[in-house]
Amino acid sequence: MSYGNLETLYRQVIMDHYKNPRNKGLKDGDDFYKIHLKNPTCGDDITIQVKIDNGMITDVYQDGTGCSISMSAASVMSETIKGKTVEEAFKILDNYLNMVKGEKFDAELEMGDAIVYQGVAQFPARFKCATIAWKALAQVMDEHNGNCTCDHEE
Ligand code: ZN
């Protein structure tokens, strides 16, 4: 496949996630980690909700408004990390950030549709759009790792 065809395929995947976002819409319940992030330069505004059970990401929801890159990336992120452990999700996250920065990344790592964002490396202005949902995920996982949310009885 020539690079041109691959680029077209990647664009189709991105547009599919933009038009048919996965795991869209927030849920009630306080057993979710919830993070809201904004990208003022583009107007992207994203909230993600993540449920982590025994170190496993069991549920992910996302909602917000913004450009096609940020909205599709939120959909892709939710689909990619659901069912992964926090440890696996951190690996995917690191690999994804390296990829969209145009740095060396592991092409063998299973990243689902997230792999289609490698073209972003050629458009540094879109870096924030492609990473806002993933940065929200990073904050969720940091919070999970750093702060136990279980109820401690005195
Ligand atoms: Zn954007």
Side-chain angles (χ1 to χ4, degrees):
M1 205 185 272
S2 74
Y3 183 69
N5 288 340
L6 196 61
E7 210 175 20
T8 303
L9 173 72
Y10 284 178
R11 198 172 303 126
Q12 283 168 356
V13 173
I14 289 171
M15 286 319 286
D16 178 52
H17 277 275
Y18 180 55
K19 288 179 182 160
N20 308 296
R22 322 306 197 252
N23 306 304
K24 178 113 176 167
L26 303 179
K27 303 288 172 211
D28 288 333
D30 49 12
D31 50 349
F32 286 100
Y33 292 96
K34 192 170 171 185
I35 298 280
H36 175 217
L37 286 184
K38 285 181 184 182
N39 168 15
T41 55
C42 185
D44 304 324
D45 187 310
I46 285 186
T47 303
I48 71 162
Q49 259 184 327
V50 179
K51 195 184 276 186
I52 301 175
D53 219 348
N54 261 328
M56 167 89 76
I57 296 166
T58 54
D59 259 322
V60 187
Y61 297 100
Q62 50 88 17
D63 205 359
T65 52
C67 67
S68 57
I69 298 283
S70 66
M71 292 295 104
S72 62
S75 169
V76 168
M77 184 279 292
S78 71
E79 203 173 57
T80 305
I81 60 144
K82 198 167 167 179
K84 301 281 193 293
T85 65
V86 170
E87 201 180 333
E88 287 166 340
F90 264 121
K91 269 188 200 152
I92 294 170
L93 169 75
D94 282 346
N95 206 41
Y96 180 82
L97 292 178
N98 287 338
M99 182 184 81
V100 295
K101 270 188 268 188
E103 290 173 4
K104 201 166 171 288
F105 70 100
D106 180 2
E108 303 295 309
L109 188 73
E110 179 50 57
M111 293 174 71
D113 285 346
I115 199 78
V116 305
Y117 290 85
Q118 54 188 287
V120 170
Q122 298 164 58
F123 305 98
R126 309 312 300 275
F127 176 77
K128 280 187 180 165
C129 304
T131 56
I132 182 168
W134 291 87
K135 287 192 168 149
L137 170 69
Q139 288 188 21
V140 161
M141 295 196 298
D142 282 340
E143 193 181 320
H144 171 76
N145 283 349
N147 307 306
C148 179
T149 54
C150 27
D151 291 319
H152 292 285
E153 288 178 25
E154 292 295 313

